[in-house]
């Protein structure tokens, strides 16, 4: 929007609930270098939600929303699952329609926005659970990539179906005993990051959300590459502390344990050649911009 | 509204003039053309100012869907692609409609069934998508032949459902359908059905509106729900948040939401009547025998009536054009003199007859049939003979014909 | 012709949508009162009368006017404010006009703060808490307005008015259509005109119908 449009009518400003007054006064819509560091000093784009206390999904949401390059022109697409408890509270337009169809919704949405706003940037970002992304919605996940749809797919991988009570999912580890896997899961964790690369994604990252700076970089890259080049895929470990029997303080440690070099969430990244070139150009421009700003500051 | 009006009289990139829809459909000169039903769909779409069309092959709509692709290549449609399945296509249509586009798609038979989860979602989300359904068989064993059974599954989705008889209906109703379903107080998807092959693959003379006129564009900011483009408030907006806490408040909200969908179907009545000139058409409903039908069964009924006339039996006709909204009042009125009501249908269950029985007094007057299905034709003679049998008149055995 | 009338509730465990009871929306230039189509002029008078009669006449502005997303919206917001000021000016001691926003439509569980906002998923909470006996929706998306209006009719005795920018609302007891700055201000003029001629209700509305 058009940050200018996120503005309360002056004549009714005083009656707006304070969270909206804060939102227009100090949220970082339209801020060029927005990122995780704004958390704490600005109004976040997320309100109180009803995830379990300490659920790492909430951390992930906060970092992601702080890092979207232009939330004022971003529409998000979710799916059924724990994430949909948060989405009503997110100050970015977002869509939930059915379980598993998120990449199909995003395909139609992105094209509609491109038709309607040919000269403007409108980012589309999918954010869904592992069940939605890899099991019930797999064909739509992959087909959107095959078609080179220009949006980002983020998967909150908690390695099970949390919202329905902890059933087996394709991204669950082999051997894990869960509902509907009564003798332990019999096959390996699906290797979606590799599949994503083979399916035409230009930027693929597999990591946890333990480090906000890393999440910021990854999200920013993934959205910008999707905007200019083609589909991107980010798989983030957001452990379901409830179902793996951890208490609310233990989510962070669980992520740190799982991102060790030999573990399944060790940082892995794939960048296609065109995306590499794009990122290099971006870095060069950034450097130039910062140097210019420094010079300007020096003069003043 | 103001934005729409301001488009009228201006030209799109293909040089077509955005024209007041009523003027275009009712006052502009018509050009008789000899086309297949599929080609007619294409010609309607050429004039529809459609933003996004999403396609998937299934007989008998594949040709129409491919022809619209040609329109896209010519620059008449904003975007067009082949989705990966009907389920995906209908979700892609939803995505485009959430984003404020005028959206069109086509499907048939197993495709309709594959996509089914989307339809109540479309209606609940108030997405005015138009879907052409070229009906065919759905059960195993597979059949590509005309059969209207799938319509019965659409009737309780909250979509508007119209049933076209001819290619002319099709041409007019595609364009008029957008006008009805995009009204802000309606704003519901429309399933525009026809009987596969009979309409899609036969040639007919169809009177087309001028090719240099097109519908005014869709205005998503008149929608009864916020458009998901970050251009309109509220900024903190999810389409559509769950309402599933276990308490009375949540139940009441969901109930109210469902009622609102059906209220919107009711509100479409006024506009449907205006645009397609009534929910039903009637002929000679003062007769003691009346045929009530929809789709091509109407054409067969009309032929049967001619045959019966030759034998001195007078018979009226009710053509049901809209199934949702359901023309209950109209059918009660049109059948009030009838002692016998025949409902010929191209499906095995006779869903139209059931709907009619539930609508009129003295429902024993309804003879649910004749039925054919699986692609069989319905010769007018079998309708006539069933009517004569019910009236106690002699008729030749039709099963023996040709032997 | 339907016999159904859209009246203050509480109507039913689950009140029907008025449209499903055969109530039609007004055409341009018209409005409806209790589901009966009337010339718009008559609706101004009745809405003004209802406001002046109420103990807690309340305006609920929705997102389409709360946010200055285009010039027209900001102007409508100014007109809403003006209307509220007029209302305050014209009521008698003991009456308490309120201006409460419906800032968004998200379900807020388990509850909202009914003093500062109204929510379409449980609008009755705000009505009950503030003892609102007459309210007007303006700038609420039609779908969400209808959800609210039905729930209010189901569980409260509040008289509902819709100042709708589109085709109007059958689920309100009185509805305008094609709302504009002029129409909002015209309602204000009517309130001024009727000032002092309408006797306010003395007790707070409970379960009895109020008209
Ligand atoms: C068609 C359909 N099938 C099943 C469900 C039930 N369902 C809702 S959420 C969910 C699991 C979600 O798992 P995931 O995507 O991993 O998200 P999480 O809750 O773990 O974050 C399931 C199976 C549904 N809503 N719709
Ligand atoms: S169930 Fe698991 S994933 Fe869902 S909110 Fe609770 S901890 Fe998080
Ligand atoms: Mg999961």
């Amino acid at each position: 929007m058009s940050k200018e449009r996120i503005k309360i009518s002056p004549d009714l400003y005083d009656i707006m609930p304070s969270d909206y007054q804060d939102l227009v006064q100090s949220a970082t819509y339209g801020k060029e270098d927005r990122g995780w560091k704004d958390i704490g000093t600005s109004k976040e784009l997320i309100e109180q939600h009803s995830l379990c206390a300490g659920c790492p999904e909430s951390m992930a949401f906060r970092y992601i929303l702080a890092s979207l390059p232009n939330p004022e022109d971003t529409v998000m697409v979710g799916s059924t699952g724990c994430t949909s408890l948060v989405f009503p509270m997110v100050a970015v337009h977002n869509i939930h329609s059915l379980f598993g169809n998120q990449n199909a919704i995003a395909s139609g949405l992105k094209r509609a926005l491109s038709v309607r706003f040919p000269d403007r940037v409108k980012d589309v970002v999918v954010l869904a659970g592992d069940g939605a992304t890899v099991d019930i919605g797999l064909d739509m996940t992959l087909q959107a990539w095959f078609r080179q749809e220009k949006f980002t797919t983020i998967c909150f991988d908690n390695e099970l179906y949390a919202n329905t009570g902890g059933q087996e999912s394709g991204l669950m580890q082999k051997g894990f005993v869960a509902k509907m896997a009564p003798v332990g899961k019999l096959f390996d964790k699906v290797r979606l990051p590799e599949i994503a690369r083979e399916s035409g994604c230009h930027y693929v990252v597999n990591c946890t959300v333990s480090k906000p700076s890393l999440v910021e970089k990854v999200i920013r890259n993934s959205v910008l590459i999707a905007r200019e080049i083609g589909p991107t895929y980010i798989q983030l470990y957001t452990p379901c502390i409830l179902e793996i029997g951890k208490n609310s303080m233990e989510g962070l440690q669980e992520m740190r344990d799982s991102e060790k070099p030999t573990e399944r969430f060790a940082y892995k990244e794939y960048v296609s050649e065109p995306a590499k070139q794009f990122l290099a150009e971006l870095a060069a421009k950034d450097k130039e911009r910062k140097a210019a700003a420094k010079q300007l500051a020096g003069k003043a | 509204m103001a934005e729409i009006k301001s488009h009228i009289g201006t030209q799109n990139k293909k040089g077509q003039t955005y024209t007041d829809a009523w003027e275009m459909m009712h006052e502009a000169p018509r050009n008789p053309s000899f086309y297949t039903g599929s080609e007619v769909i294409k010609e309607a779409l050429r004039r529809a100012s459609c933003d996004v069309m999403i396609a998937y092959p299934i007989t008998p709509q594949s040709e129409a869907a491919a022809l619209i692709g040609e329109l896209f290549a010519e620059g008449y449609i904003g975007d067009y692609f082949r989705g990966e399945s009907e389920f995906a296509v209908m979700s892609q249509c939803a995505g485009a409609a959430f984003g404020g586009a005028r959206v069109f798609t086509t499907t048939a038979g197993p495709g309709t069934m594959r996509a089914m989860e989307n339809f109540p979602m479309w209606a609940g989300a108030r997405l005015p998508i138009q879907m052409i359904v070229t009906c065919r068989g759905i059960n195993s064993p597979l059949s590509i032949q005309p059969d209207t059974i799938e319509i019965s599954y659409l009737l309780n989705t909250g979509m508007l459902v119209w049933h076209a008889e001819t290619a002319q209906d099709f041409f007019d109703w595609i364009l008029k359908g957008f006008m009805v379903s995009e009204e802000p107080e309606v704003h519901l998807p429309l399933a525009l059905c026809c009987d596969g092959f009979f309409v899609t693959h036969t040639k007919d003379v169809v009177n087309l509106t001028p090719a240099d006129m097109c519908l005014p564009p869709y205005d998503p900011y008149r929608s009864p729900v916020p458009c998901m483009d970050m251009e309109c408030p509220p900024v903190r907006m999810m389409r559509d948040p769950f309402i599933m806490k276990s308490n009375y408040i949540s139940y009441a909200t969901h109930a109210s939401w469902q009622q609102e969908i059906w209220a919107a179907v009711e509100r479409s009545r006024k506009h449907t009547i205006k645009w397609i000139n009534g929910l039903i058409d009637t002929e000679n409903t003062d007769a003691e025998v009346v045929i009530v039908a929809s789709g091509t069964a109407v054409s067969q009924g009309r032929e049967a009536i001619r045959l019966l006339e030759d034998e001195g039996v007078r018979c009226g006709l009710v053509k049901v054009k809209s199934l949702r909204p359901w023309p209950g009042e109209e059918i009660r009125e049109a059948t009030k003199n009838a002692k016998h009501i025949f409902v010929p249908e191209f499906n095995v269950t006779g869903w139209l007859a059931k709907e009619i029985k539930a609508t009129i007094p003295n429902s024993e007057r309804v003879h649910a049939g004749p039925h054919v299905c699986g692609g069989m034709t319905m010769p007018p003679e079998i309708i006539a003979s069933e009517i004569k049998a019910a009236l106690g008149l002699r008729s030749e055995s039709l099963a023996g014909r040709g032997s | 012709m339907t016999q159904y009338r859209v009246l203050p509730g509480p109507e039913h465990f689950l009140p029907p949508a008025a449209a499903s009871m055969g109530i039609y929306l007004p055409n341009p230039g018209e409005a409806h009162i209790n589901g009966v189509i009337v010339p718009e002029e008559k609706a101004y008078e009745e809405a003004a009368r209802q406001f002046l009669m109420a103990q807690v006449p309340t305006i609920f502005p929705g997102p389409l006017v709360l946010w200055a997303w285009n010039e027209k919206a900001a102007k409508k917001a100014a007109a809403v404010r003006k209307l509220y000021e007029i209302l305050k000016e014209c009521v008698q001691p003991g009456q308490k006009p309120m201006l409460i926003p419906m800032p968004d439509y998200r379900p807020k569980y388990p509850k909202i703060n009914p003093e500062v906002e109204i929510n379409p998923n449980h609008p009755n909470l705000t009505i009950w808490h503030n003892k609102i006996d007459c309210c007007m929706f303006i700038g609420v998306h039609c779908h969400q307005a209808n959800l609210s209006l039905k729930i209010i009719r189901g569980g409260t005795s509040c008289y509902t008015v819709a100042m709708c920018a589109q085709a109007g609302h059958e689920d309100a007891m009185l509805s305008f259509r094609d709302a504009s700055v002029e129409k909002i201000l015209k309602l204000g003029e009517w309130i001024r005109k009727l000032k002092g001629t309408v006797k306010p209700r003395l007790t707070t509305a409970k379960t009895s119908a109020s008209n």
Side-chain angles (χ1 to χ4, degrees):
Chain A
M1 227 175 304
S2 26
K3 175 178 151 46
E4 296 65 47
R5 294 202 181 185
I6 307 179
K7 210 166 60 186
I8 297 171
S9 293
D11 290 280
L12 297 174
Y13 183 88
D14 60 328
I15 62 163
M16 268 299 226
S18 55
D19 61 306
Y20 276 120
Q21 292 175 347
D22 294 347
L23 193 78
V24 294
Q25 270 170 19
S26 76
T28 53
Y29 293 115
K31 180 170 174 236
E32 192 153 4
D33 285 315
R34 61 192 307 278
W36 73 276
K37 285 192 177 132
D38 301 325
I39 294 177
T41 57
S42 66
K43 172 75 179 168
E44 290 182 60
L45 303 186
I46 177 172
E47 274 294 314
Q48 290 177 344
H49 51 75
S50 52
L51 294 174
C52 300
C55 175
E57 281 197 359
S58 111
M59 232 191 275
F61 255 107
R62 296 176 67 187
Y63 299 159
I64 291 169
L65 287 169
S67 311
L68 293 173
N70 59 332
E72 61 281 3
D73 276 305
T74 300
V75 183
M76 298 185 76
V77 181
S79 195
T80 322
C82 283
T83 53
S84 24
L85 302 176
V86 180
F87 267 120
M89 311 306 160
V90 168
V92 169
H93 281 179
N94 65 88
I95 300 171
H96 170 274
S97 61
L98 296 172
F99 181 42
N101 69 347
Q102 60 282 347
N103 280 37
I105 291 283
S107 300
L109 175 68
K110 177 70 191 185
R111 285 160 181 266
L113 295 177
S114 304
V115 169
R116 290 188 55 222
F117 303 98
D119 308 320
R120 303 247 316 260
V121 168
K122 289 275 177 189
D123 293 324
V124 170
V125 176
V126 170
L127 198 173
D130 51 311
T133 308
V134 181
D135 295 338
I136 195 167
L138 183 65
D139 64 340
M140 287 164 278
T141 305
L142 298 187
Q143 297 273 357
W145 296 342
F146 299 160
R147 283 194 306 268
Q148 294 288 294
E149 302 280 356
K150 288 179 143 180
F151 61 82
T152 302
T153 304
I154 303 171
C155 173
F156 275 11
D157 180 7
N158 54 12
E159 307 194 297
L160 46 78
Y161 288 28
N163 202 231
T164 36
Q167 294 84 2
E168 177 190 288
S169 95
L171 288 191
M172 180 175 275
Q173 298 172 70
K174 188 173 176 180
F176 196 88
V177 178
K179 288 173 194 140
M180 301 190 187
V183 295
K185 187 180 176 226
L186 296 175
F187 61 99
D188 280 325
K189 183 176 174 76
V190 173
R191 288 168 15 206
L192 197 63
E194 285 152 84
I195 297 170
R197 187 188 69 201
E198 294 303 317
S199 305
C201 284
H202 290 271
Y203 183 71
V204 181
V205 170
N206 179 53
C207 64
T208 79
V209 296
S210 70
K211 298 186 198 73
S213 57
L214 184 71
V215 176
E216 176 188 312
K217 184 193 91 180
V218 164
I219 294 300
R220 202 179 157 77
N221 284 350
S222 67
V223 173
L224 295 177
I225 292 171
R227 186 192 292 170
E228 299 297 334
I229 297 175
T232 56
Y233 175 61
I234 309 300
Q235 186 167 318
L236 300 174
Y237 184 40
T238 55
C240 173
I241 50 174
L242 183 80
E243 292 295 340
I244 61 173
K246 304 265 173 188
N247 70 38
S248 53
M249 303 303 291
E250 292 172 334
L252 186 58
Q253 194 53 48
E254 167 63 23
M255 290 190 281
R256 285 186 177 148
D257 291 345
S258 329
E259 68 194 2
K260 293 187 178 134
T262 55
E263 289 294 330
R264 62 197 189 289
F265 288 101
Y267 184 84
K268 273 194 242 86
E269 180 187 83
Y270 163 76
V271 192
S272 74
E273 281 311 318
K276 269 183 199 153
Q277 204 179 326
F278 169 73
L279 287 180
E281 285 162 18
L282 210 62
K285 267 190 221 146
D286 246 21
K287 209 166 152 187
E288 235 172 76
R289 193 167 52 82
K290 278 186 186 141
K294 215 170 174 180
Q295 222 174 14
L296 210 66
K299 271 187 196 148
Chain B
M1 200 74 160
E3 279 161 47
I4 289 278
K5 283 211 181 100
S6 67
H7 278 97
I8 289 176
T10 63
Q11 292 197 343
N12 66 12
K13 65 174 181 186
K14 294 301 289 180
Q16 292 174 301
T17 305
Y18 292 116
T19 307
D20 174 77
W22 189 263
E23 187 187 317
M24 173 169 139
M25 298 310 296
H26 294 95
E27 288 152 30
R30 294 276 183 140
N31 182 21
S33 315
F34 194 51
Y35 276 141
T36 66
S38 304
E39 288 162 342
V40 165
I41 297 176
K42 174 186 179 184
E43 288 310 313
L45 259 280
R46 188 194 297 281
R47 295 154 174 82
S49 307
C50 175
D51 296 310
V52 177
M53 193 286 178
I54 307 172
Y56 194 80
I58 185 168
T59 307
Q61 57 82 57
S62 303
E63 190 190 351
L67 289 172
I68 297 168
E70 292 177 11
L71 274 185
F72 165 68
E74 292 171 39
Y76 284 96
I77 311 274
D79 202 350
Y80 172 96
F81 68 104
R82 173 200 55 80
E84 57 269 42
S85 72
E86 290 86 354
F87 176 83
V89 165
M90 300 314 162
S91 288
Q92 284 148 356
C93 287
F98 276 118
R102 177 176 287 159
V103 185
F104 183 82
T105 189
T106 53
T107 193
T112 309
M113 304 309 283
R114 176 70 58 106
M116 192 58 75
E117 190 189 0
N118 285 278
F119 304 139
M121 178 269 283
W122 284 4
R126 305 293 296 269
L127 304 174
I129 298 160
Q130 187 173 139
M131 172 174 74
I132 295 285
V133 184
T134 62
C135 300
R136 64 175 259 192
I138 57 172
N139 63 289
S140 239
L142 187 95
S143 161
I144 61 167
Q145 301 301 337
D147 192 311
T148 59
I149 188 76
E150 70 197 89
I151 294 178
S152 65
Y153 292 85
L154 293 169
L155 294 179
N156 293 318
T157 56
M159 293 179 76
L160 307 178
V161 184
W162 297 356
H163 197 174
E165 177 194 354
T166 62
Q168 184 71 57
D169 285 349
F170 237 26
F171 177 78
D172 292 340
W173 294 2
I174 287 172
L175 295 164
K176 293 174 174 182
F178 282 119
M179 295 300 103
V180 174
S181 68
E182 290 171 4
E183 283 290 343
E185 73 271 31
V186 178
H187 225 264
L188 286 175
L190 166 65
L192 177 43
C193 307
C194 76
D195 303 7
F197 288 108
F198 297 145
V199 177
T200 51
H201 286 61
T202 54
K203 274 198 156 187
D204 207 349
V205 176
V206 178
N207 295 313
L208 304 181
T209 57
D212 59 0
M213 287 185 181
C214 62
L215 292 182
Y218 168 61
D219 178 359
Y221 303 121
R222 292 178 72 218
S223 162
V225 282
C227 169
M228 292 292 94
D229 60 2
M230 280 302 274
E231 297 290 325
C232 64
V235 60
R236 200 184 295 286
M237 184 68 208
M238 174 183 187
R239 296 278 306 280
D240 293 298
F242 297 5
I243 299 165
M244 61 180 201
K245 291 273 152 106
S246 299
N247 59 30
Y248 174 74
I249 283 176
S250 309
Y251 307 151
T253 308
H254 203 275
S256 190
W257 194 299
Q258 292 195 35
Q259 288 177 321
E260 170 58 15
I261 298 165
W262 288 97
V265 174
E266 284 306 311
R267 291 184 207 117
S268 73
R269 213 174 267 283
K270 175 163 112 179
H271 302 290
T272 312
I273 290 169
K274 174 181 141 197
W275 280 100
I276 66 172
N277 197 21
L279 305 183
I280 63 172
D281 287 344
T282 58
E283 291 165 31
N284 304 325
T285 48
D286 57 331
E288 282 192 6
V289 180
V290 171
I291 293 175
V292 185
S294 64
T296 42
V298 177
S299 313
Q300 303 310 93
R302 207 177 275 118
E303 280 305 298
I305 289 170
R306 216 174 38 75
L307 296 177
L308 288 166
E309 245 161 39
D310 293 345
E311 301 190 43
V313 180
R314 194 157 171 274
C315 181
L317 180 69
V318 175
K319 167 175 169 171
V320 179
K321 298 187 282 190
S322 167
L323 296 159
R324 293 289 181 271
W326 173 245
E329 200 78 47
E330 288 89 340
I331 291 176
R332 270 194 296 281
E333 179 62 25
T335 56
K336 69 177 184 219
N337 302 311
K339 293 208 169 71
H340 301 277
I341 299 164
F342 288 83
V343 188
E345 291 183 65
F346 283 90
N347 67 74
V348 72
T349 63
W351 52 259
L352 182 60
K354 287 179 192 160
E355 292 266 327
I356 293 166
K357 279 184 187 165
T359 298
I360 60 168
N362 305 326
S363 63
E364 69 286 350
R365 294 178 295 157
V366 174
H367 302 255
H371 292 149
V372 294
C373 52
M376 288 173 71
T377 56
M378 188 189 293
E381 290 83 357
I382 68 154
I383 305 176
S385 83
E386 198 151 323
I387 291 175
K388 285 199 297 186
L391 297 178
L393 302 170
R394 250 175 56 83
S395 66
E396 288 165 42
S397 161
L398 291 170
R401 276 186 321 163
S403 63
Chain C
M1 266 301 270
T2 177
Q3 298 302 306
Y4 185 80
R5 290 292 173 265
V6 190
L7 300 172
E11 178 170 345
H12 195 272
F13 185 58
L14 175 62
S20 301
M21 300 304 287
I23 302 291
Y24 280 88
L25 288 171
N27 288 319
E30 299 170 338
H32 87 78
I33 301 175
N34 301 129
V36 179
I37 304 293
V38 297
E40 203 174 67
E41 213 59 34
K42 197 165 168 210
Y44 286 116
E45 181 175 352
E46 179 62 12
R49 214 171 60 80
Q50 290 290 343
F51 264 141
L52 290 172
M53 211 161 63
Q55 223 165 40
V56 188
T58 302
I59 303 170
F60 293 132
L64 291 165
V65 296
L66 288 167
W67 294 90
W69 63 295
N70 59 38
E71 251 176 67
K72 219 161 67 190
K75 284 187 184 145
K76 273 191 191 168
V80 168
R81 191 78 200 202
K82 181 102 191 276
L83 180 66
Y84 175 61
E85 299 304 333
I86 293 174
L87 195 54
K88 283 203 293 194
E89 218 175 274
C90 295
V91 292
Q92 300 182 20
Q95 286 178 292
K96 186 188 164 203
M98 295 188 84
L99 179 62
I100 300 179
M102 182 183 279
D104 58 31
Y105 310 131
R106 66 190 144 134
K108 276 190 165 178
Y109 299 118
K111 67 190 253 320
I112 49 148
N113 180 350
E115 266 157 39
V116 303
E117 65 178 313
I118 178 165
N119 183 287
N121 300 286
H122 36 60
N124 41 346
L125 301 184
T126 299
I127 304 271
W128 283 330
H129 180 88
N130 300 297
K131 301 192 166 54
I132 295 167
D133 52 350
C134 176
C135 68
M136 182 174 97
F137 282 72
I138 177 156
V140 177
H141 281 87
C142 295
H143 179 86
Q144 275 83 7
N146 280 331
L147 295 190
S148 310
L149 290 165
K150 274 201 298 293
I151 295 172
I152 293 174
R153 218 167 74 237
T156 84
S157 61
C158 183
Y159 188 96
T160 53
V161 177
M163 180 60 88
C164 172
Q166 306 292 343
H169 295 272
E170 329 85 347
D171 285 311
M173 279 127 234
L174 186 157
S175 175
F176 298 93
R177 55 167 296 154
D178 307 316
S180 59
V181 166
E182 294 71 34
K183 289 192 187 188
I184 300 166
L185 295 178
K186 192 158 174 193
L187 178 56
E189 282 165 29
W190 267 100
I191 292 174
R192 277 211 176 109
K193 194 153 129 191
L194 296 190
K195 177 182 175 179
T197 70
V198 181
K199 196 163 161 278
R201 268 189 296 268
L202 291 174
T203 50
T204 41
K206 278 214 195 83
T207 53
S208 59
S210 54
N211 72 331

